[in-house]
Amino acid sequence: MQRINIKGLIGQNAVTLDDGEIIYNLIHESLMHGDVVELDFDGVEIFASPFFNAGVGRLLVDLKPDTLNQQLKFDHLSDFGSRVLRRVIDNAKEYYASSTAQRNKVDQVLTSDFLAA
Amino acid sequence: MQSNINTTKSKTIYVPRINDELNDFFSMALIWKQATVNNDNIIFDFTDCAFLRPNAVVFLGGITRLIQASGRTVHLSLSTMQQHVKMNLLQNGFASMMGAETEPWQGNSIPYREYVEPNEDIVLKYLTDDWLGRGWINVSKNLKNEIAGRMWEIFANAFEHSLSEIGLVCCGQYFKNNKELVLAVADFGVGIPSNVRAFNAQEDIEPKDAMKWAFTKGNTTSKTAWPRGVGLDLLKEFVRLSKGSLAIYSHGGYAYIDEDSELYDNHSAFFGCTVVQVTLRCDDNYYCLSTELDSAQYF
């Protein structure tokens, strides 16, 4: 099992896309190989959705919810952190459950050169 | 404040009293128009100004930086200010950021800050210590962290989406008589309506519809290759639960959310700014997360 001390990696605030990406890059491969990963949030105090979007929500691109329930564990996650995480996962599941046509439309926009950052 | 004026061509703009009612946006729009119509240096005269709410302070701070970024000079005339307006701007640090020599001091204001880059540690410390940590609102540490996390969504959105060349400006105030704790954040980027139109490739989206779209769970103008769009929904939920309010003006679009209402509208006053104002109700109660009650001390 791979155990990751989040505070040791990113500090006590888990709020940014960049920090979420750090976690994603650390765990994605292991999860794809069937390993169990535990994210230890001991000492992490503040949470926001960009962190979980980039770190966890996007795992649903190529891993099924059941698989992630088996392989990805969250330890010492505060009540609010847990609520933000659940919201992010629900949103990601909704997105990936939408029809291919709908997603293609969104992805088409995402890859175009519109002004939106 | 702020010297080096090229006196050959300066325009004086008279700043009126600016509160946070819908009509006050017309005052800000007029200032915006006067300041951006040509390349004059600007003098802000406060003779007619009896009050500036935090949304007005961040607007003035932001527009000052925007004018300066275009190579022009700005003079904010302290000598024209009524005493209480002057004291407030000196106290919250706005005046010293604009060049006044008087250092800010602690009072009922949340310090005026400008953030050009998204340094989350600095911003979150500002939220937890300067906004929520002054004893005006009686919250547990966990709840304070939760509020800060939800407020970070505003900062993260602005940093990521606005493309504001001057970054973000924020300040706040504790209004003792009304028991309100206000925080205002402004950017001078492209604005929510423009972002939403570009993302949807639909130029005819009205500002009010763009604002509503932005507040709908799952919607985001982010170009990341994974789903987003939870942040504003989390913030909306928070102001409702806390019986506070959230008001956003952005480039002709207006949104107002509180416990009882959710309003999206067009505003005929236009200025190129996004101003977010969050108001929390302060009372004598102690607030904590419901899950903390079981572990709270009995005495």
Side-chain angles (χ1 to χ4, degrees):
Chain A
M1 185 180 78
Q2 183 185 6
R3 186 178 174 84
I4 294 172
N5 179 336
I6 302 292
K7 188 182 177 188
L9 274 174
I10 62 162
Q12 62 184 14
N13 303 317
V15 298
T16 66
L17 285 175
D18 289 347
D19 285 344
E21 286 223 71
I22 290 172
I23 304 305
Y24 174 85
N25 290 331
L26 271 175
I27 65 176
H28 179 244
E29 193 106 342
S30 302
L31 292 168
M32 290 296 283
H33 283 112
D35 296 340
V36 173
V37 175
E38 185 171 277
L39 302 181
D40 183 358
F41 286 90
D42 191 26
V44 179
E45 296 190 338
I46 302 181
F47 298 88
S49 64
F51 171 80
F52 285 123
N53 280 318
V56 179
R58 64 194 285 206
L59 291 169
L60 286 159
V61 174
D62 37 31
L63 288 157
K64 293 193 183 317
D66 286 346
T67 309
L68 287 167
N69 276 333
Q70 295 290 324
Q71 288 181 234
L72 184 57
K73 310 292 179 190
F74 301 93
D75 201 15
H76 297 116
L77 189 55
S78 74
D79 178 68
F80 178 60
S82 175
R83 277 184 281 140
V84 177
L85 174 62
R86 286 181 192 284
R87 189 74 69 90
V88 163
I89 290 172
D90 285 348
N91 188 52
K93 281 161 78 175
E94 226 169 87
Y95 172 82
Y96 292 116
S98 63
S99 71
T100 311
Q102 284 171 311
R103 279 171 54 189
N104 283 345
K105 191 183 167 200
V106 174
D107 292 341
Q108 195 178 8
V109 176
L110 284 171
T111 52
S112 66
D113 286 321
F114 290 123
L115 186 59
Chain B
M1 285 185 281
Q2 203 71 20
S3 54
N4 303 323
I5 295 178
N6 174 0
T7 50
T8 54
K9 204 173 183 189
S10 291
K11 180 196 293 175
T12 299
I13 296 176
Y14 293 91
V15 179
R17 170 195 176 92
I18 306 179
N19 208 320
D20 60 357
E21 301 295 324
L22 286 175
N23 279 340
D24 292 297
F25 292 125
F26 288 109
S27 300
M28 291 193 264
L30 186 59
I31 292 170
W32 165 264
K33 192 175 176 186
Q34 289 175 288
T36 56
V37 71
N38 57 30
N39 284 324
D40 290 349
N41 296 321
I42 300 296
I43 299 168
F44 285 118
D45 184 303
F46 294 86
T47 307
D48 302 327
C49 178
F51 178 68
L52 290 172
R53 206 159 167 97
N55 57 302
V57 177
V58 293
F59 170 75
L60 284 174
I63 200 166
T64 296
R65 296 305 185 213
L66 201 66
I67 295 164
Q68 290 171 329
S70 69
R72 295 183 284 153
T73 61
V74 181
H75 177 75
L76 295 113
S77 178
L78 270 183
S79 62
T80 62
M81 289 180 189
Q82 297 177 30
Q83 191 62 13
H84 60 283
V85 174
K86 184 175 171 180
M87 290 298 279
N88 184 45
L89 296 182
L90 286 168
Q91 183 191 79
N92 70 11
F94 174 89
S96 68
M97 286 288 280
M98 298 300 162
E101 290 179 358
T102 307
E103 288 298 312
W105 66 93
Q106 278 209 337
N108 285 338
S109 60
I110 296 120
Y112 174 87
R113 293 280 187 265
E114 296 173 358
Y115 298 112
V116 180
E117 292 177 350
N119 185 321
E120 72 274 15
D121 291 336
I122 292 173
V123 171
L124 289 170
K125 189 168 167 43
Y126 174 77
L127 293 173
T128 54
D129 294 2
D130 294 326
W131 184 43
L132 300 167
R134 299 278 298 279
W136 296 315
I137 187 165
N138 200 7
V139 293
S140 70
K141 187 185 175 193
N142 287 343
L143 182 53
K144 194 197 297 182
N145 287 339
E146 172 168 340
I147 297 170
R150 294 194 194 238
M151 280 301 293
W152 167 257
E153 306 279 358
I154 283 181
F155 286 81
N157 269 319
F159 281 127
E160 188 185 350
H161 300 274
S162 78
L163 310 177
S164 173
E165 62 177 305
I166 60 149
L168 297 184
V169 181
C170 58
C171 80
Q173 183 85 29
Y174 172 55
F175 295 99
K176 197 175 174 181
N177 292 340
N178 298 334
K179 294 195 169 183
E180 287 179 348
L181 184 54
V182 174
L183 186 73
V185 183
D187 73 66
F188 283 74
V190 296
I192 294 171
S194 173
N195 260 334
V196 171
R197 287 182 196 121
F199 181 83
N200 288 285
Q202 206 179 327
E203 279 306 309
D204 58 351
I205 298 175
E206 285 196 63
K208 66 176 181 182
D209 296 326
M211 300 297 279
K212 189 173 183 180
W213 187 93
F215 271 92
T216 302
K217 195 181 88 170
N219 286 347
T220 175
T221 59
S222 172
K223 286 177 82 172
T224 54
W226 59 82
R228 302 276 303 280
V230 176
L232 286 178
D233 194 52
L234 282 166
L235 191 65
K236 189 163 82 177
E237 179 189 73
F238 161 65
V239 295
R240 286 191 155 153
L241 288 172
S242 65
K243 301 185 195 308
S245 66
L246 168 67
I248 301 184
Y249 172 91
S250 183
H251 296 242
Y254 179 71
Y256 179 84
I257 291 160
D258 65 14
E259 190 186 14
D260 306 313
S261 59
E262 184 169 344
L263 167 77
Y264 301 96
D265 212 346
N266 296 326
H267 201 296
S268 54
F270 179 89
F271 52 99
C273 174
T274 298
V275 190
V276 179
Q277 184 168 274
V278 175
T279 302
L280 301 181
R281 301 282 160 206
C282 305
D283 54 32
D284 296 329
N285 295 326
Y286 174 75
Y287 292 97
C288 62
L289 300 170
S290 58
T291 49
E292 291 180 271
L293 290 174
D294 287 342
S295 57
Q297 292 183 333
Y298 287 105
F299 299 101

